[in-house]
Amino acid sequence: MNKIFETPLYPYTHHPDEDAETPVRHKTIVVGAGPVGLAVAIDLAQQGVPVVVLDENDKVSFGSRAICFSKRTLEIADRLGIGQKLVDRGVVWNLGKVFKGDEKVYEFNLLPEQGHKRPAFINLQQYYFEDDLVARVRELQEQGAPIELRGGCKVTEIDDCGDYVALEIETPDDTYDIEAEWLIACDGAGSPIRSMMGLDFVGRVFEDNFLIADVIMHADFPTERWFWFDPPFNPGQSALLHKQPDGVWRIDLQLGWDIDKAEEKKPENVIPRLKQMLGEDAKFELEWVSIYTFQCRRMEKFRHGRVLFAGDAAHQVSPFGARGANSGIQDAENLAWKLALVLEDKAPDSLLDSYSDERVHGADENILNSTRSTDFITPKSQISRTFRDAALALAGKAEFARPLVNSGRLSVPCAYDGSTLNGPDTDALPARTRVGAPAVDTPLGQGWLLDRLGGRFQLLTVDADAPDRLDVGGIEVERVAVSAAGNETLRERYLGDAASGVYLLRPDQHVAARWTSFDETAVRAAVAKATGRDK
Amino acid sequence: MSLNTKPNLPDPDGFYADLLSAHEGLSTEDSHALNARLVLILANHVGNRAALKEALELARATV
Ligand SMILES: Cc1cc2nc3c(=O)[nH]c(=O)nc-3n(C[C@H](O)[C@H](O)[C@H](O)COP(=O)(O)OP(=O)(O)OC[C@H]3O[C@@H](n4cnc5c(N)ncnc54)[C@H](O)[C@@H]3O)c2cc1C
């Protein structure tokens, strides 16, 4: 039986664009059908923006790569129409254990706070995530949405011509030219588009190698994240064990810098290592093995004229913290609504600069966290190892040292503090739903607040009056009226000690501005600011 | 200034002797490890980032 990642999902077929006399111009072209490219394309198509996705390949990601998907990603996936599918397929986990040698030093619980539709994390193979996105593309196509997915189409040249971008595409048949009003480059960490445009990608390489193996075993390990510093089966290095669906387990083994990668990857070398870890009698099959060197880096800006970079093409982090795909999905949702407004002439194209600013801020946060984790996990000097071991030695004995132990700070959503799109805020309302932050879920009647938010500008009124609709220069702001009476979770997250609250929400569910009561002039000004019209 | 740089230790000679005796018989490497644990324990006790920052600067400036 073929594995899902060996099955062509969008094989090349000859397209009429290839025979056109003059290059066909599309509104938006996305290069790369990885998780980020597919997410941004679905988001655009759901807003009625025509989009063509090109990928040189025709399958989902080879091997599982990303496995931990965060709550924010699931909330975005809900808006894209695949949230429930992901949760149904995924494994929910909360407990993490940290070992030094063969002793447990510390254990953490992600302690899912009550009152959210989605769990803190699920584990799911990246190929399933992509498979669900492709299925959603097919579903949208059946409903007549303007979205196309072309496999076997490799972008080999790009030219930003000022008011459009020209592309040369290589297919199994021939090469052809097409044009895009806007190009979204989601072509991965090695981004050929970034190279063709001669753009920098600077940062830090961590001089270390990790063996990443997905093994299929039917073992009774619990559904927990186990992390070892200096385990007996990998002395002086680190190791990670984490469960995925279908009896697949992710194993990461740190190997050090001075190794022969090709040798280490051979099954005859991998299997004995894994046996040391899992026990001589453990029965397992290798699904996928790879050796990685990690880097933390980003582009200086994510917008270059009519080309917008998203996902790994724009930024790369080490995997400790699960911030790669999770942050790429946040790029996608930040970009889609802005581009849709610009294409509809409802916002100036300078709004797209805020995409770069906000997501550079997000990337910096992720790079900072993942660099710190990597420095802890793979100390680069004798003294950093000494302090690392001091923290680990104390963590077993004294609670204070546990927060110092860093085996990866798991992805949390980015709040756009200080963004140029942010309107007025007030201290009278709770900090967690401050301006710039993504709206926090709460139960609402039989359902959930987040299921009622997103996709357009909205005015969330909590025990406050406001008109049901407001037209702000062609942008319709729809009111969502809720009450905190009898809903303590909503009160705590949206009102605090205030009696009422009015939240202006962007189409990506982030708070654009908030007040304790409705003021039409202020709301209009905040919409103008959040759409870059006030410049 | 949040860092207290005025004398604050009762019985400084006694503390100094305790410090040395904690290290007695340890290899240089084990002593470094003990110092590292001690730094973390004391830093947590201080619990004031501004004071710790000044302490780090003062220690670094005397290299
Ligand atoms: C071992 C490992 C573990 C990880 N764990 C996690 C995790 O737990 N959580 C998490 O969030 N992230 C994780 N990541 C990161 C995650 O895999 C990436 O961040 C994610 O795949 C990035 O998605 P993307 O869509 O930006 O790029 P990619 O998935 O790399 O997709 C790029 C696409 O572009 C196409 N392409 C490239 N060049 C061209 C061209 N010239 N023309 C046409 N198409 C082209 C490629 O075929 C590919 O389909 C992990 C990564 C690794 C390696």
Side-chain angles (χ1 to χ4, degrees):
Chain A
M1 196 189 80
N2 270 356
K3 291 253 175 240
I4 179 174
F5 53 86
E6 289 163 348
T7 312
L9 284 181
Y10 40 95
Y12 167 75
T13 53
H14 190 89
H15 193 277
D17 278 8
E18 299 182 43
D19 310 319
E21 299 258 315
T22 50
V24 177
R25 187 173 304 177
H26 297 272
K27 287 264 180 216
T28 56
I29 292 181
V30 174
V31 182
V36 180
L38 289 170
V40 75
I42 290 170
D43 210 342
L44 287 168
Q46 288 190 163
Q47 298 178 56
V49 176
V51 57
V52 177
V53 184
L54 307 172
D55 200 296
E56 58 177 320
N57 206 323
D58 57 7
K59 304 179 189 70
V60 292
S61 161
F62 182 75
S64 73
R65 295 171 75 198
I67 59 163
C68 294
F69 293 94
S70 70
K71 176 164 166 293
R72 184 65 197 149
T73 293
L74 296 173
E75 290 167 354
I76 296 168
D78 273 333
R79 208 166 45 69
L80 301 181
I82 62 163
Q84 195 54 43
K85 258 179 146 174
L86 297 175
V87 173
D88 289 345
R89 281 221 234 210
V91 169
V92 178
W93 64 278
N94 291 308
L95 204 61
K97 289 185 178 153
V98 177
F99 301 84
K100 170 84 202 291
D102 48 15
E103 237 170 282
K104 186 176 88 181
V105 289
Y106 163 66
E107 143 176 339
F108 63 88
N109 195 325
L110 295 175
L111 268 191
E113 185 191 45
Q114 295 302 301
H116 296 265
K117 180 177 180 187
R118 296 305 179 199
F121 275 94
I122 62 163
N123 281 6
L124 183 70
Q125 290 89 327
Q126 181 165 332
Y127 48 74
Y128 281 142
F129 188 82
E130 293 181 24
D131 184 48
D132 287 340
L133 286 166
V134 172
R136 177 62 181 154
V137 169
R138 300 296 178 221
E139 194 176 276
L140 286 167
Q141 286 171 331
E142 274 163 31
Q143 297 163 7
I147 181 167
E148 251 190 82
L149 180 52
R150 299 187 196 170
C153 289
K154 178 176 178 173
V155 177
T156 49
E157 254 181 61
I158 162 167
D159 195 7
D160 188 340
C161 304
D163 50 2
Y164 68 97
V165 181
L167 296 177
E168 184 189 82
I169 318 270
E170 203 177 279
T171 72
D173 282 355
D174 53 12
T175 62
Y176 68 107
D177 295 328
I178 48 172
E179 295 172 358
E181 285 182 31
W182 295 94
L183 184 81
I184 309 177
C186 304
D187 50 347
S191 175
I193 293 184
R194 199 181 57 222
S195 312
M196 288 177 225
M197 293 175 70
L199 298 168
D200 272 349
F201 198 40
V202 288
R204 226 176 119 187
V205 180
F206 291 90
E207 295 201 341
D208 215 321
N209 292 291
F210 287 80
L211 176 85
I212 316 277
D214 279 345
V215 305
I216 304 170
M217 68 178 166
H218 297 281
D220 271 343
F221 289 116
T223 306
E224 299 170 356
R225 178 186 193 263
W226 287 16
F227 194 97
W228 288 263
F229 293 96
D230 196 13
F233 53 84
N234 196 21
Q237 312 281 11
S238 67
L240 175 75
L241 180 69
H242 216 171
K243 189 178 182 178
Q244 303 169 58
D246 310 335
V248 177
W249 297 77
R250 162 63 51 86
I251 293 168
D252 281 22
L253 293 172
Q254 187 191 354
L255 298 179
W257 187 231
D258 232 356
I259 58 154
D260 182 340
K261 289 196 193 188
E263 262 315 290
E264 288 288 351
K265 232 168 104 166
K266 291 185 181 159
E268 64 261 37
N269 292 320
V270 172
I271 287 169
R273 274 187 182 282
L274 297 182
K275 285 204 157 156
Q276 278 178 30
M277 174 171 183
L278 303 169
E280 212 34 61
D281 306 325
K283 293 217 179 352
F284 60 86
E285 269 166 67
L286 283 181
E287 180 180 71
W288 173 70
V289 179
S290 189
I291 290 185
Y292 280 93
T293 299
F294 297 123
Q295 328 221 337
C296 286
R297 52 187 184 169
R298 69 161 167 88
M299 297 178 74
E300 196 188 325
K301 290 185 303 173
F302 298 169
R303 177 188 177 190
H304 290 267
R306 289 192 164 252
V307 184
L308 300 143
F309 290 85
D312 278 13
H315 47 74
Q316 217 188 341
V317 292
S318 77
F320 305 107
R323 288 164 184 267
N326 286 313
S327 67
I329 299 298
Q330 292 174 54
D331 292 348
E333 75 149 359
N334 189 294
L335 179 54
W337 68 269
K338 293 176 181 173
L339 191 52
L341 284 181
V342 170
L343 278 162
E344 288 166 16
D345 276 329
K346 289 182 177 165
D349 80 47
S350 61
L351 179 61
L352 297 170
D353 293 329
S354 77
Y355 159 70
S356 180
D357 295 344
E358 292 184 339
R359 293 311 303 160
V360 161
H361 171 77
D364 283 345
E365 206 172 275
N366 289 320
I367 288 173
L368 179 73
N369 277 289
S370 111
T371 301
R372 287 174 171 176
S373 301
T374 312
D375 281 336
F376 193 89
I377 292 164
T378 69
K380 290 300 170 293
S381 66
Q382 187 48 51
I383 190 67
S384 73
R385 182 173 289 270
T386 303
F387 275 113
R388 201 275 308 265
D389 289 346
L392 285 170
L394 289 167
K397 296 194 180 67
E399 206 180 315
F400 88 83
R402 290 174 196 161
L404 293 171
V405 173
N406 190 342
S407 68
R409 302 283 183 230
L410 292 166
S411 175
V412 288
C414 178
Y416 302 129
D417 292 323
S419 167
T420 53
L421 304 188
N422 289 354
D425 202 348
T426 163
D427 287 342
L429 298 169
R432 71 188 291 188
T433 41
R434 68 187 180 279
V435 172
V440 178
D441 206 2
T442 91
L444 198 63
Q446 299 304 306
W448 301 94
L449 177 63
L450 288 193
D451 283 341
R452 293 187 52 193
L453 303 180
R456 56 214 177 279
F457 274 91
Q458 288 167 308
L459 202 61
L460 174 72
T461 57
V462 189
D463 298 317
D465 264 337
D468 287 339
R469 270 170 217 297
L470 205 61
D471 186 291
V472 187
I475 294 178
E476 189 153 292
V477 181
E478 171 205 280
R479 177 185 180 202
V480 177
V482 300
S483 171
N487 188 338
E488 282 317 302
T489 316
L490 178 73
R491 178 180 306 283
E492 179 202 316
R493 294 175 190 174
Y494 286 87
L495 290 183
D497 296 329
S500 59
V502 172
Y503 287 74
L504 177 66
L505 293 159
R506 318 191 320 189
D508 56 11
Q509 300 175 334
H510 280 256
V511 178
R514 59 178 190 171
W515 307 266
T516 48
S517 63
F518 175 72
D519 169 342
E520 181 169 334
T521 315
V523 171
R524 286 182 181 278
V527 173
K529 193 148 198 277
T531 50
R533 289 178 181 179
D534 63 336
K535 298 224 178 72
Chain B
M1 290 293 264
S2 29
L3 183 72
N4 185 357
T5 55
K6 297 276 179 288
N8 190 37
L9 267 178
D11 185 17
D13 291 347
F15 164 73
Y16 199 80
D18 285 350
L19 184 61
L20 291 191
S21 75
H23 281 275
E24 228 167 74
L26 295 186
S27 65
T28 307
E29 194 184 331
D30 287 344
S31 269
H32 281 315
L34 185 150
N35 278 340
R37 291 192 293 274
L38 189 62
V39 166
L40 298 182
I41 292 165
L42 296 179
N44 181 67
H45 187 81
V46 172
N48 175 331
R49 278 290 307 278
L52 290 169
K53 208 162 178 317
E54 283 175 44
L56 287 170
E57 280 158 12
L58 177 61
R60 177 79 201 197
T62 11
V63 166

